[in-house]
Structures are given as C-alpha cells and as structure tokens.
Amino acid sequence: MIRLGVVMDPIAAINPYKDSTLALLLEAQRRGWHIDYMEQQQLYLADNTVHATLRPLRVSDDRQHWFDWEGPEADEPLNALDVILMRKDPPFDIHYIFTTYLLELAERDGVLVVNRPRALRDANEKLSTAWFPHCTAPSVVSSRAQDIKRFLAQHQDIIIKPLTAMGGASVFRLRAGDANLNVVIEVMTDHGQTPVMVQRYLPEIRDGDKRILLIDGVPVPYALARLAAPGETRANLAAGGSSRPQPLTARDRWICDQVGPTLRDMGLLLVGLDVIGDYLTEINVTSPTCIRELDQAYGLNISALLLDCIEERLA
C-alpha cells in the first residue's frame, strides 16, 4: 500500500465541490492508498530527520461531510511516507520557504515530494514567466516608482500585482492619469522596498483568463476560461469570476510546448498555466486548481493522470 502525506490548509475550511486537493485525495483513496494529513506548522526537524504530526484521513465526495479522521494524531518521521503532496496555498512567505527546506530533507531521505521543494522555491509564480519571454506580454518587475511610471507611460494601461499572493489578491489596474497612481505604487511596493510585477493590460481578458493544467509537462487538452464579473478587472474565481471550459487552442498548445519540458525537468509534476489571449501571464506551481471543474465538464479524471505519474516514480 502506498502511504501518502498531504500538506494543506485546514481541510475543514475548503470548498469541497471545487477543491483540487480533495480531488487528488479522492483518487488516492480509490486506489487504496493510505492518507495522512498534516498542516504546515506541524512539521519539525529533530535528530536530523524531519517529523510531523500526522493524522489518518478518509475523504468523501460530499459537499456537507467531506472528511473523517481515521485515527488519532501521532508524531512520525516523514520518511515513513512514500509520497507527500505539498498543497499549501500561498502566500509564498518565509514560513512557506522554511517548509520547503524541511520537505527537501524528507526528499533526501527517500520521500517523493510533489511538487519538488527546490522547484517550488525557484519557480516564483509570477517571475518564472520571464524564463519564456517569447510567450509573454511586455512586463517589468521592480520596486522603483520611476520604473513603474515609465512602463505606464509607454503602455497607458497596466496591471500591477504582488509576487507572493494568489486568487487575484491585491491586483490593480492603472491607466495613464490615474489619480491613485502614487498611493498604489507606495502601498504595493511598501514605499520602494518590495518588488512587484507590472504587465501591460491585455484586453483579451474579456474572453477569459485561461487555466491550463500540465501533468508532468503534458497539457490536459482543455482549459478553464475564467471570466470577470461585471465591473471587475480580475477574472479569478476567488474574486467572483465565472468559468467556461473550452478546448485548447493551437497557441495554447504552443505555449505548453515551450514551457512544459523545462517544468518537467525541474520536478514540477502538476502546474497551472495562466494564459490571456496569446500570452502566458503566470506559472502556478504551489497548489494549482480547476481540476474538479474540468473533470465535471469533460468527464475527465485529471487526478488519475497525476497519480499515474507518481506511481511510475515510486516504482
């Protein structure tokens, strides 16, 4: 029996009907895997071995009652597990980074960690798009007001967002002449101390911000286009957007061909690309979502694709 550990946010607080981690756990349970649950703060290092407070978990595809505990908590070394899913949501803060160090030590001791801890640190979800400039729209990353203002003067309409958040949090659209320009820059950069990403506004957002899932570098053949609510710039589902499943376009597939091999070689088995129009805007590696929506729309089992990859590596 494969023993699976999952690091995630509190399971009692998830939205079970759309939670991708729950989808992965349901598939693991169908395969007869044993599931151990842990939260980030429960990991610790002792005697050069990483341990955690683990609790056996049983999950259900039920919107009212989606989990049960199968036993009491127990402190165990992580090398008692075969595989760990790192599914803690951003913010990608110093605590998250410390967790990747601990998981990397567990990896050293023979545990397969998905996604690979070093790759989680290396592939910032906004900045890593710079590895593929031929796929991206014009952008700058800077903490300096003059750089942001120069970019705005050039493009007239921009998006500014933090490098560490998710779900559309703290994303601003600024146009030339905006009276809030200075205060937005001050708040977002912490008065010039913290770099932010600035991208040219893409009007193609009206047709959706597409989430494309890659499994071991290979795209699922459908995307979930997320559409902004009326009066809203952000299309994120967490910001009230709606969704429209659709097949990948030729351009979508071309972008996947450009980025997939690099991400696979880094040990990123599950990745969510964000594409607006013809442009790659983010590479989501921490806890990519939209599995359940695409499964439901097209009768897929995306979780099975990932678990097949995991089984191959464990073999």
Side-chain angles (χ1 to χ4, degrees):
M1 178 190 297
I2 292 174
R3 190 171 178 189
L4 167 72
V6 59
V7 182
M8 60 184 292
D9 292 295
I11 192 170
I14 68 172
N15 293 320
Y17 69 96
K18 68 172 190 174
D19 191 88
S20 292
T21 303
L22 181 60
L24 295 169
L25 298 181
L26 285 166
E27 176 60 24
Q29 187 170 275
R30 279 191 287 268
R31 296 181 181 216
W33 297 13
H34 175 91
I35 303 171
D36 285 300
Y37 168 91
M38 68 194 103
E39 294 178 21
Q40 186 174 234
Q41 68 273 14
Q42 295 173 315
L43 280 70
Y44 67 96
L45 179 67
D47 299 323
N48 202 34
T49 300
V50 182
H51 300 71
T53 302
L54 305 177
R55 192 162 192 184
L57 177 69
R58 183 166 186 82
V59 289
S60 303
D61 196 4
D62 184 330
R63 294 191 180 192
Q64 304 302 318
H65 188 87
W66 56 91
F67 76 99
D68 288 289
W69 303 120
E70 291 285 277
E73 292 183 336
D75 273 20
E76 292 193 58
L78 289 188
N79 59 21
L81 305 173
D82 298 296
V83 58
I84 296 171
L85 296 178
M86 175 49 169
R87 294 286 301 175
K88 171 71 177 69
D89 284 343
F92 191 87
D93 54 16
I94 193 64
H95 193 182
Y96 192 106
I97 291 173
F98 289 155
T99 300
T100 67
Y101 289 137
L102 293 174
L103 290 175
E104 196 167 20
L105 291 172
E107 185 181 53
R108 174 205 64 186
D109 291 340
V111 185
L112 175 63
V113 183
V114 179
N115 283 317
R116 192 175 186 187
R118 177 172 294 181
L120 290 175
R121 292 196 303 273
D122 288 349
N124 177 272
E125 298 189 324
K126 277 72 171 178
L127 265 172
S128 59
T129 59
W131 301 340
F132 311 101
H134 52 301
C135 300
T136 62
S139 63
V140 299
V141 174
S142 179
S143 58
R144 305 194 313 171
Q146 62 264 38
D147 297 330
I148 298 169
K149 290 179 178 179
R150 186 183 309 115
F151 189 80
L152 176 58
Q154 179 182 1
H155 295 286
Q156 298 293 299
D157 196 350
I158 64 173
I159 293 292
I160 180 171
K161 55 188 177 182
L163 296 175
T164 58
M166 61 167 282
S170 301
V171 174
F172 289 87
R173 180 182 179 185
L174 294 171
R175 298 176 179 87
D178 195 313
N180 293 308
L181 174 61
N182 286 327
V183 69
V184 169
I185 293 175
E186 289 169 6
V187 170
M188 291 292 290
T189 67
D190 190 20
H191 294 272
Q193 301 302 305
T194 302
V196 294
M197 171 159 273
V198 188
Q199 294 172 321
R200 188 186 76 194
Y201 176 73
L202 298 172
E204 295 91 340
I205 189 70
R206 64 180 175 269
D207 298 320
D209 179 356
K210 291 176 284 188
R211 167 57 56 82
I212 302 170
L213 294 173
L214 299 181
I215 308 295
D216 200 20
V218 178
V220 174
Y222 304 97
L224 192 72
R226 296 159 296 174
L227 305 164
E232 174 63 75
T233 297
R234 302 166 299 171
N236 307 76
L237 300 182
S242 59
S243 62
R244 183 184 64 218
Q246 60 189 51
L248 298 188
T249 66
R251 174 71 176 187
D252 294 336
R253 291 181 179 276
W254 179 83
I255 290 173
C256 294
D257 288 344
Q258 304 308 301
V259 306
T262 297
L263 303 181
R264 181 183 61 237
D265 291 346
M266 293 177 67
L268 294 165
L269 295 188
L270 176 58
V271 175
L273 305 183
D274 288 349
V275 174
I276 299 175
D278 288 338
Y279 298 104
L280 175 68
T281 60
E282 292 189 15
I283 300 175
N284 296 272
V285 300
T286 51
S287 54
T289 60
C290 299
I291 288 176
R292 305 213 80 179
E293 293 90 339
L294 289 171
D295 279 355
Q296 183 176 12
Y298 293 107
L300 306 175
N301 187 346
I302 296 170
S303 300
L305 299 176
L306 178 63
L307 267 60
D308 286 347
C309 290
I310 290 173
E311 288 183 339
E312 289 174 8
R313 280 162 174 73
L314 293 177

